[in-house]
Amino acid sequence: MVARLAPLTIKLLRDVWRLRGQALAIALVMAAGVGMVVMSYGMMRSLAATRDAYYARFALADAWVPLRRAPDSLARDLARLPGVAQLESRVSAAAMLDIPGIAEPVTARLHSLPGAINRLVLRSGRMPQAGRGDEVVASEAFVRAARLSLGDRLPALVHGKRIELRLVGTVLSPEYVYAVAPGQIFPDNRRFGILWMAREPLAAMLDMRGGFNEALVRLAPGTPVEEAIRRIDNASAHYGPSGAYGRDLQVSDRFLSSEIEQLATTVRILPPIFLGVAAFLLNILLARLVDTEREVIGLLKAFGYRGGAILRHYGALALLLSVGGVLAGWGLGTWMGHGMAVMYQEYFTFPFLTFVAGLDIYLLSAGLALLAVLAGAAGAVWRAQRLAPAEAMRPPAPARYSARGLGDRLVRLLPDEPSRMILRGFLRRPLRSAASALGLAMALALYVASASSTDNVERMIALAFERGQRADIAVAFAEPRDAGVVRELASLPGVQRVETYRSVAADLSHGPYHTREGLLGLPRGAALMRMVTLDNAVIEPPQEGAIVSSQIARKLGLAVGDVLNVAVTEGERQRFTLPVVQVIDVPLGASVVIERGALARRLREGNVASGAYLMTDPAQAGALYARLKQTPMVAGVSVAAAAVRGIRETVAQNMGIVTLFNTLFAVLIVAGVTYTGARISLSERARDLASMRVLGFRKGEAAFVLLGEQALLALAALGPGLVLGVAMSRYIAASFSSDLFLIPAAVSAATLARGVLVVALAAAATAWLIRRSADRLDLVRALKTRE
Amino acid sequence: MAEGRVLYRTTGLTKSYGEGASAVHALRGVDLEVHAGEMLVLLGPSGSGKSTLLNILGGLDRASAGEAWFEGLELTGLDDDGLTEYRRRSIGFVFQFYNLIASLTARENVQLITDIAENPMRPEEALALVGLEDRLDHFPAQLSGGEQQRVAIARAIAKRPEVLLCDEPTGALDSKTGIRVLSALDTINREVGTTVFIITHNAVIADMADEVIRFADGAIASHARNDLRRSPTELAW
């Protein structure tokens, strides 16, 4: 015999089926929240685990020691320092490549092949053979982006020498998980590559036989990094330039770690929004259900069902309505996680990256969903089990409205009765109305905050490139040159204007704080490179004293009027102090800027330049690039247009997909709030609407009451939504900013308008679904039922 | 009372739900003529077909077969929108459970209709006709059952409909209050000339009608004319 289901269980299942529309709306919103938890936490864990495993297996250095030129004996001395477990010296250089098919000169970093530290992952081809001085392996992403093939010959300019290298393999390196050219924040794999070759020929090219210019250090477990670095610095002081640094200052690891932190930001903002909205929807749905089922509850109690049974019945209903959301969220989160992993593997070059969330994360997300269910359902479920049978059997007291009060005076200003019905409905349930509007506002805010990331980057480009660095090309010299080099550069094809700059590496300190940064000397009245603040002001370098970026000021605890101690770590290694005359927010690059002449006086040198900014004729770009590729004094070239293009491509690729998802999520919230709200309103107003239809109101006129309410809610949400969106955008921009760059918060009017459009369209489409139900109201039945 | 023009004519009006052997016949071929300006009372047990007839005449429901004409308008040939326009122009409804809009005051409930009618009374005038001139700004929850039903009547008549259809208008009221409500209907029939249909279980009410139609099993069992029409105040139950 088939076991019979208990009547309450049958009712439960039928209720779920009857409420499937609202259940779906709630489940989708909840799924988004659960999915975000699974995806974000899972991705954080996967990235961290992959990073740690990669670093461990391929022995990433704990500290890097860049030197000018040191004898091999120094490496032996350093290796004996306490705390140093392993030390390896290498030879590194900047190179400029001439790649067929790429007009601009390509910048490259050239390292001698590693031994035990920073080992390479061979991806294709083979490693360079000893004795084959021209063979190199290159970073895989660069080879792919520059469309190179194994066996290709790469004409290169290294240390003023023209050589030809031959590509024999592609590799990955734990040191370059995120490979950006110096001064850039987004990878441009087409124009920046990393090459490794045998040490002997590279050292020969750099006149560094028997010596090295960089040491890699692995520390003994438990050794404090700062302490080890101090010892290394002291021991290598004679061979500077800029001192040792740990992983915290290593560019690739910094970007990777900050990405993991950004995921933590995401998980702080988004899931609470989704789960909060789901809780609210569940709350209004159950409250309405208990209202309409008062008599049923009274009857059950009259028949002898206990409060506990009622509690379990409605509690189970709440759980059943949510369980689909949790399951869907797990699926969604896992799917998004796998997608993100693929995206991350393009962005960060790992040899492997598998999205693994772990059982605890799935359980955590379900626990959070359960909390939302509890928060949403507790009130209504408790009220149901508390209802006294006699009380429950009576119909609820008719809705009470008051003709007094400010609210009703406002209502009476409205010209027509349907509008008054809408507004009185609002005022009667101010909390529910406010919560609905807040839900819609959150959706709008989510869209604005997400879509504005592109605005922010565009703003950064505008500030950094269109207003700040207005040069078409920035050229870095291999060695500081006499400023007379201007004439030489000006004679290159298409060059219209040349401005030089001077920069030196320095140890900056203030009180107990210190950091290593470049000190930039700019001329006053420069046209091609100017200091621009986040609020778009152009700042001239002062006659005396320094302008300090807010990132550095924060790091060193500096304020205007303080004195900055400078220890230059190259050349004559001068020490001097600079009064801080201004602290400014700059979009790109941490910097300390002083007037060019003042810097020259401090360095006790003449008119010396480290590089130059060029304004050029685009028509002659090809000829100019060809010449630059052949100019020995040039160590690096960065083309502004290419950099901007690279930033835009990266942003479009990565933020595009994130914005798409967040737009879908915003639509989901709007649809969920509008659908549930309108459904409940339809159930509450069914008699009113039927009465109006019977009295001769057309379908559209009656639906106006229902849909006008949703429209008004959406309208009320716009203001707070836009304000919240801008605030969220600022918060995200601030939390994504690092000491490498500051993201300006610059939400555009177009983004705001699109946000309003997205919310309006989503609400309208949902309302249209409900309108069809309103049009199909059974007039006779709605009227014959007792209120 | 002299017979006026024919307002409604039905021939073979049938309404059934379902098909085949399980079909339920709510109306089985009703032929009826109703003259303008009359007061009609429809009596009969539950399920006898009186409400179904009223719903079809009021444009709330459609017949399965047969014809129903309202003057020159064939109701049985109208679509949803046509029926809405017909209700909007010509019909007033009063229901057992009043069906007032809880969020609108008495005056606003009436205004709801006068706003969409072509030649309406002022809301205050309609409410005065049912004796509620001093309850204009009260919400339904602040009114007694009888008062609510009178607001519903005022709302129904305010657009000066040709027909007032009342389905158990006193069903939820005590007798004293019921008589006040019936008096209001009587006044409107006599003073405005509105044709009034009243469905009731209460046979006493038949005494205030010009014509009394008794329903049984989906068909008209009898159709009689009262020689003397009594005032509602003379009724008692």
Side-chain angles (χ1 to χ4, degrees):
Chain A
M1 210 178 97
V2 179
R4 197 177 56 84
L5 284 175
L8 270 189
T9 311
I10 297 175
K11 174 182 178 307
L12 183 65
L13 297 175
R14 290 202 178 128
D15 282 347
V16 171
W17 178 244
R18 189 165 54 86
L19 296 170
R20 59 192 180 277
Q22 284 114 301
L24 180 70
I26 293 172
L28 287 177
V29 175
M30 192 167 275
V34 169
M36 287 306 287
V37 171
V38 170
M39 190 275 278
S40 305
Y41 276 127
M43 204 67 238
M44 277 163 72
R45 177 179 291 181
S46 304
L47 273 179
T50 302
R51 173 192 62 185
D52 295 345
Y54 188 23
Y55 285 0
R57 202 183 307 168
F58 293 90
L60 183 73
D62 293 313
W64 284 253
V65 189
L67 300 161
R68 191 174 173 76
R69 182 197 157 85
D72 284 341
S73 60
L74 177 68
R76 288 190 291 277
D77 294 345
L78 293 180
R80 281 195 291 270
L81 288 175
V84 172
Q86 199 175 16
L87 185 135
E88 200 170 286
S89 66
R90 72 176 177 187
V91 178
S92 301
M96 226 170 37
L97 307 179
D98 182 6
I99 308 281
I102 302 179
E104 305 93 357
V106 172
T107 311
R109 190 82 193 140
L110 196 51
H111 293 300
S112 56
L113 285 166
I117 301 181
N118 292 356
R119 290 192 344 245
L120 301 175
V121 186
L122 184 66
R123 300 283 281 185
S124 68
R126 59 173 174 80
M127 299 303 277
Q129 281 171 354
R132 300 294 296 266
D134 61 341
E135 291 185 351
V136 292
V137 289
S139 47
E140 186 186 46
F142 166 62
V143 169
R144 216 181 307 147
R147 301 210 178 84
L148 296 174
S149 314
L150 297 186
D152 278 358
R153 302 204 161 270
L154 312 175
L157 195 59
V158 183
H159 199 61
K161 299 187 174 77
R162 285 213 290 272
I163 53 169
E164 196 168 72
L165 302 170
R166 204 162 65 84
L167 184 65
V168 297
T170 62
V171 294
L172 301 179
S173 162
E175 195 182 355
Y176 291 101
V177 171
Y178 190 85
V180 286
Q184 302 290 325
I185 58 170
F186 289 113
D188 181 0
N189 289 323
R190 205 167 142 72
R191 295 175 200 85
F192 176 68
I194 303 105
L195 308 176
W196 288 264
M197 62 186 290
R199 176 159 173 172
E200 199 46 38
L202 180 58
M205 254 186 286
L206 301 177
D207 305 323
M208 214 167 282
R209 281 206 179 87
F212 64 97
N213 62 2
E214 192 171 17
L216 306 170
V217 179
R218 296 268 288 175
L219 297 176
T223 309
V225 180
E226 281 135 49
E227 216 169 279
I229 285 176
R230 207 175 47 245
R231 285 195 206 108
I232 292 169
D233 275 350
N234 288 338
S236 62
H238 290 299
Y239 310 98
S242 51
Y245 57 90
R247 285 185 190 175
D248 59 329
L249 290 179
Q250 203 261 339
V251 172
S252 165
D253 187 64
R254 251 160 116 183
F255 272 99
L256 180 52
S257 301
S258 86
E259 182 66 28
I260 295 174
E261 278 160 30
Q262 282 165 29
L263 283 169
T265 304
T266 309
V267 99
R268 271 198 301 275
I269 298 180
L270 296 182
I273 292 181
F274 293 119
L275 294 177
V277 170
F280 163 66
L281 297 182
L282 199 58
N283 175 278
I284 57 175
L285 177 64
L286 281 180
R288 175 62 191 165
L289 192 68
V290 169
D291 270 352
T292 54
E293 294 197 340
R294 285 168 66 89
E295 292 178 45
V296 177
I297 296 165
L299 205 66
L300 288 171
K301 289 199 161 177
F303 288 164
Y305 278 87
R306 296 195 184 87
I310 306 290
L311 186 97
R312 278 195 299 279
H313 176 67
Y314 287 99
L317 180 63
L319 280 178
L320 273 182
L321 289 175
S322 328
V323 74
V326 172
L327 292 177
W330 284 351
L332 178 72
T334 310
W335 178 71
M336 286 194 305
H338 283 293
M340 282 285 269
V342 171
M343 220 171 81
Y344 271 132
Q345 208 156 3
E346 289 289 307
Y347 196 57
F348 295 117
T349 47
F350 289 111
F352 50 86
L353 175 60
T354 321
F355 175 79
V356 182
L359 184 63
D360 55 337
I361 288 176
Y362 288 102
L363 291 180
L364 169 77
S365 66
L368 292 173
L370 190 67
L371 274 183
V373 172
L374 268 180
V381 173
W382 187 248
R383 199 155 52 80
Q385 76 93 29
R386 284 283 304 272
L387 270 179
E391 163 71 18
M393 301 278 277
R394 270 196 297 275
R400 293 215 158 263
Y401 291 87
S402 164
R404 282 184 285 276
L406 183 67
D408 212 70
R409 236 175 288 160
L410 203 73
V411 171
R412 280 161 204 266
L413 292 177
L414 294 175
D416 64 315
E417 276 60 42
S419 304
R420 291 183 185 187
M421 289 167 72
I422 293 174
L423 197 54
R424 286 213 180 99
F426 263 130
L427 296 174
R428 205 167 89 81
R429 299 179 189 277
L431 268 183
R432 191 172 91 184
S433 310
S436 298
L438 185 66
L440 297 174
M442 285 296 187
L444 177 54
L446 174 62
Y447 176 87
V448 168
S450 177
S452 64
S453 55
T454 312
D455 296 345
N456 295 345
V457 171
E458 281 302 321
R459 175 79 175 160
M460 186 163 85
I461 289 174
L463 288 174
F465 289 95
E466 281 154 33
R467 202 155 156 77
Q469 189 205 307
R470 299 196 295 183
D472 299 310
I473 293 175
V475 173
F477 301 147
E479 296 287 329
R481 311 277 297 198
D482 183 87
V485 75
V486 169
R487 278 190 302 280
E488 206 174 320
L489 288 170
S491 68
L492 291 173
V495 173
Q496 295 166 333
R497 188 184 172 109
V498 181
E499 286 176 9
T500 59
Y501 65 90
R502 176 73 169 118
S503 72
V504 286
D507 193 295
L508 310 174
S509 61
H510 174 243
Y513 309 108
H514 79 114
T515 186
R516 296 199 169 85
E517 274 301 339
L519 196 59
L520 183 62
L522 287 179
R524 288 173 69 83
L528 299 185
M529 175 61 182
R530 311 184 300 178
M531 295 284 285
V532 171
T533 65
L534 277 193
D535 37 19
N536 205 20
V538 174
I539 309 287
E540 285 287 338
Q543 295 286 7
E544 280 303 322
I547 299 176
V548 177
S549 72
S550 55
Q551 293 104 308
I552 290 182
R554 224 178 357 258
K555 209 188 253 181
L556 297 181
L558 281 173
V560 172
D562 287 346
V563 172
L564 175 66
N565 297 307
V566 180
V568 176
T569 52
E570 57 179 85
E572 303 294 318
R573 306 174 77 86
Q574 292 88 350
R575 289 172 173 271
F576 49 87
T577 60
L578 289 170
V580 175
V581 295
Q582 204 172 354
V583 173
I584 60 173
D585 284 330
V586 293
L588 261 181
S591 48
V592 175
V593 174
I594 68 173
E595 199 271 322
R596 173 85 185 275
L599 180 59
R601 284 195 295 283
R602 296 248 158 54
L603 297 175
R604 289 181 223 107
E605 65 184 21
N607 200 358
V608 172
S610 306
Y613 296 106
L614 312 181
M615 192 167 81
T616 62
D617 172 8
Q620 297 195 56
L624 175 60
Y625 295 150
R627 284 285 298 279
L628 282 173
K629 289 172 185 172
Q630 309 287 327
T631 307
M633 69 173 172
V634 173
V637 171
S638 95
V639 177
V644 169
R645 203 159 56 236
I647 293 175
R648 288 206 172 108
E649 276 165 15
T650 311
V651 169
Q653 259 170 30
N654 297 292
M655 295 188 181
I657 191 103
V658 172
T659 301
L660 176 70
F661 266 92
N662 283 334
T663 307
L664 286 179
F665 287 151
V667 166
L668 214 60
I669 292 181
V670 173
V673 170
T674 307
Y675 185 82
T676 310
R679 269 268 156 217
I680 285 166
S681 182
L682 178 61
S683 133
E684 288 170 348
R685 293 187 186 277
R687 280 167 64 87
D688 286 358
L689 299 179
S691 295
M692 290 175 71
R693 294 275 290 117
V694 167
L695 295 169
F697 279 80
R698 300 182 184 111
K699 284 176 182 168
E701 291 167 337
F704 167 76
V705 175
L706 191 67
L707 304 187
E709 187 173 27
Q710 299 306 317
L712 196 57
L713 279 173
L715 204 64
L718 294 185
L722 294 177
V723 171
L724 263 174
V726 172
M728 250 162 82
S729 174
R730 278 172 199 272
Y731 174 73
I732 292 174
S735 71
F736 279 24
S737 295
S738 64
D739 45 354
L740 295 169
F741 56 94
L742 270 188
I743 297 181
V747 186
S748 73
T751 296
L752 296 179
R754 268 195 300 274
V756 170
L757 197 67
V758 164
V759 168
L761 284 180
T766 314
W768 180 78
L769 276 179
I770 304 285
R771 161 142 192 210
R772 292 196 333 183
S773 309
D775 287 351
R776 285 198 298 258
L777 265 184
D778 184 339
L779 302 187
V780 176
R781 210 170 73 184
L783 291 175
K784 292 237 162 151
T785 40
R786 193 174 58 165
E787 175 85 319
Chain B
M1 189 176 167
E3 286 195 357
R5 65 199 154 90
V6 174
L7 193 65
Y8 280 112
R9 185 186 315 111
T10 72
T11 50
L13 200 62
T14 301
K15 176 75 185 180
S16 46
Y17 302 94
E19 282 178 20
S22 64
V24 176
H25 300 283
L27 281 184
R28 304 165 183 268
V30 170
D31 301 321
L32 180 67
E33 234 174 51
V34 175
H35 296 93
E38 298 212 311
M39 165 80 80
L40 293 100
V41 167
L42 281 65
L43 292 170
S46 289
S48 60
K50 52 192 193 310
S51 288
T52 306
L53 176 69
L54 211 65
N55 287 342
I56 294 174
L57 295 184
L60 291 180
D61 204 351
R62 282 213 183 75
S64 311
E67 286 181 5
W69 290 80
F70 174 79
E71 297 192 305
L73 184 70
E74 190 193 351
L75 299 180
T76 35
L78 293 178
D79 62 3
D80 250 16
D81 292 341
L83 288 176
T84 300
E85 294 307 312
Y86 159 67
R87 290 198 301 271
R88 185 176 179 121
R89 219 173 31 246
S90 309
I91 307 295
F93 284 97
V94 177
F95 291 95
Q96 181 179 2
F97 298 117
Y98 332 132
N99 291 88
L100 296 180
I101 311 268
S103 59
L104 297 178
T105 61
R107 189 207 314 258
E108 289 166 346
N109 260 286
V110 179
Q111 261 167 10
L112 186 67
I113 300 309
T114 57
D115 280 357
I116 61 166
E118 272 169 27
N119 177 29
M121 303 177 190
R122 285 187 308 108
E124 295 77 10
E125 190 185 339
L127 284 163
L129 263 179
V130 295
L132 285 178
E133 55 273 37
D134 55 348
R135 311 290 266 171
L136 295 177
D137 292 324
H138 287 63
F139 283 97
Q142 298 166 319
L143 298 170
S144 71
E147 286 171 330
Q148 290 187 53
Q149 190 60 299
R150 277 145 65 206
V151 174
I153 293 171
R155 184 176 69 177
I157 58 156
K159 66 178 174 189
R160 304 182 203 276
E162 286 161 273
V163 183
L164 198 54
L165 302 175
C166 313
D167 196 345
E168 299 275 6
T170 60
L173 304 173
D174 61 58
S175 73
K176 191 171 154 225
T177 317
I179 284 165
R180 287 209 67 169
V181 165
L182 292 174
S183 299
L185 292 174
D186 193 58
T187 308
I188 284 142
N189 173 255
R190 287 176 193 279
E191 295 182 5
V192 187
T194 306
T195 306
V196 178
F197 286 74
I198 300 175
I199 285 185
T200 180
H201 280 98
N202 187 346
V204 177
I205 295 176
D207 289 352
M208 64 178 279
D210 293 310
E211 299 205 12
V212 182
I213 303 172
R214 286 174 195 277
F215 272 80
D217 201 18
I220 294 176
S222 71
H223 186 164
R225 196 168 174 82
N226 281 336
D227 299 331
L228 176 70
R229 187 173 148 181
R230 293 170 68 188
S231 158
T233 51
E234 298 168 34
L235 305 178
W237 65 85

